[in-house]
Amino acid sequence: MNKKYPFDPSIKHHFIIAFGLAIWIFVFLYFTEPFDVSVFNRTEKLIYLPLYGVLGAFCYLLFLPIQHFLFKKNNENWFIKTEILFLFIFISIGIVSTRLFYLYVIVPGEPNPHDLSFHLKTIILPVLSTILPIIIFGRFAFGKYKNKQTEALKIEIKGEGNYEGLRLFLNDIICIQSSDNYIEVFYVSGNELKKHLIRNKLSVIADEFPQLLRTHRSYVINPFHFLQWKTANSKLFVILFHHIEVPVSRTYQNDVKTVLNSTTE
């Protein structure tokens, strides 16, 4: 349940799913004619059936603010349990909305409307059983596509030989410190500071990723995370995100000041 699930937060793509849902509901009802739909004449079908489609799209879009809240609350992660929660809420809203639409739009004032049990078995559940796979597939497909695009934007800090590398966004890197024949990568994951040791040379990383700024023979930093300067005992330091202090040697001072001052203008 806590396993990550492919998810695309794009509002545009969810509107596409909602639009496709509206079209599918209309087509399904028009051509299959479940109980009650078959009694509509042609004009009534063209009036009421598109409204059923709009109702389905509305039920889907109604969840989007909650979806956005859950996505942000989980540090922009989406899990199987949250996807199941979405489906449960959608089904619940769909059943209530369809029932009210039937009572107050399709048969307003009728003395003997179908009871809820019969309405569920003959129309609501059959329709839900056909549209849920469409929703699940659409959301999953957009999520997988988003994940592929996201992975394509990541960089890979490789290790020598069979040592494991690290794949992450450039702006997730705070700094990299040299440690003998290893480098220690300081990076953020969500709001947490993490470290990863890789067997490689800092000079190789500095050459491979010119976006990172050399401040010292043992450090490169990501200018994106620069917060402020610090001077102590006539030595210059930069303060980075998570209050990481990195020394700036005289060799690199001019270049570092030029780059960092330009990023704060």
Side-chain angles (χ1 to χ4, degrees):
M1 289 295 183
N2 289 321
K3 186 177 179 181
K4 286 188 178 181
Y5 188 84
F7 178 72
D8 183 358
S10 169
I11 296 297
K12 174 185 174 182
H13 291 163
H14 287 290
F15 268 89
I16 291 174
I17 292 173
F19 179 74
L21 185 61
I23 298 297
W24 174 248
I25 291 174
F26 167 72
V27 170
F28 174 80
L29 293 177
Y30 189 87
F31 288 104
T32 61
E33 295 188 342
F35 191 81
D36 269 5
V37 173
S38 59
V39 302
F40 292 157
N41 60 42
R42 183 178 179 83
T43 302
E44 288 174 329
K45 284 183 179 180
L46 294 177
I47 293 174
Y48 293 121
L49 300 191
L51 289 178
Y52 269 116
V54 171
L55 182 64
F58 174 76
C59 291
Y60 182 85
L61 295 175
L62 196 63
F63 181 78
L64 294 190
I66 303 174
Q67 178 174 275
H68 178 75
F69 170 77
L70 292 174
F71 185 62
K72 293 298 182 181
K73 183 181 179 181
N74 292 324
N75 294 319
E76 299 193 350
N77 290 309
W78 196 256
F79 303 99
I80 292 177
K81 65 180 180 181
T82 40
E83 185 69 8
I84 291 174
L85 176 63
F86 155 74
L87 293 173
F88 175 77
I89 293 176
F90 173 77
I91 291 170
S92 301
I93 293 174
I95 290 173
V96 172
S97 300
T98 304
R99 180 62 178 173
L100 293 176
F101 183 79
Y102 168 74
L103 292 175
Y104 296 105
V105 177
I106 302 299
V107 291
E110 285 286 331
N112 297 304
H114 298 306
D115 60 33
L116 178 59
S117 176
F118 184 81
H119 195 203
L120 277 171
K121 289 188 293 185
T122 57
I123 293 183
I124 299 177
L125 293 182
V127 172
L128 281 174
S129 67
T130 63
I131 65 175
L132 280 178
I134 303 298
I135 293 174
I136 293 171
F137 175 78
R139 290 170 63 85
F140 183 82
F142 275 124
K144 290 293 285 185
Y145 179 69
K146 177 67 176 179
N147 284 357
K148 285 184 178 180
Q149 285 187 316
T150 300
E151 283 298 316
L153 295 175
K154 290 183 177 181
I155 63 170
E156 184 177 7
I157 301 177
K158 298 178 181 178
E160 295 179 349
N162 295 324
Y163 286 85
E164 184 180 357
L166 182 64
R167 188 172 177 81
L168 71 174
F169 293 112
L170 178 65
N171 279 348
D172 285 343
I173 300 172
I174 299 177
C175 66
I176 302 176
Q177 180 182 5
S178 175
S179 179
D180 295 326
N181 292 324
Y182 292 84
I183 55 171
E184 190 169 20
V185 182
F186 295 76
Y187 66 99
V188 287
S189 178
N191 292 320
E192 295 182 19
L193 173 65
K194 294 191 175 183
K195 304 175 185 179
H196 192 84
L197 199 64
I198 300 173
R199 184 173 180 178
N200 207 330
K201 296 178 181 177
L202 191 65
S203 58
V204 173
I205 301 302
D207 290 339
E208 188 173 357
F209 302 108
Q211 307 95 321
L212 301 177
L213 180 63
R214 192 76 177 255
T215 65
H216 189 274
R217 63 185 179 86
S218 299
Y219 287 91
V220 294
I221 68 169
N222 186 347
F224 178 77
H225 291 289
F226 171 69
L227 295 179
Q228 64 186 68
W229 299 100
K230 177 182 176 180
T231 303
N233 299 322
S234 300
K235 294 182 180 179
L236 184 64
F237 297 84
V238 290
I239 309 298
L240 304 175
F241 189 53
H242 277 284
H243 301 286
I244 298 174
E245 291 188 14
V246 174
V248 181
S249 65
R250 294 185 182 277
T251 305
Y252 301 102
Q253 266 190 31
N254 290 336
D255 289 340
V256 171
K257 286 181 179 180
T258 300
V259 173
L260 295 185
N261 288 337
S262 66
T263 62
T264 55
E265 290 179 355

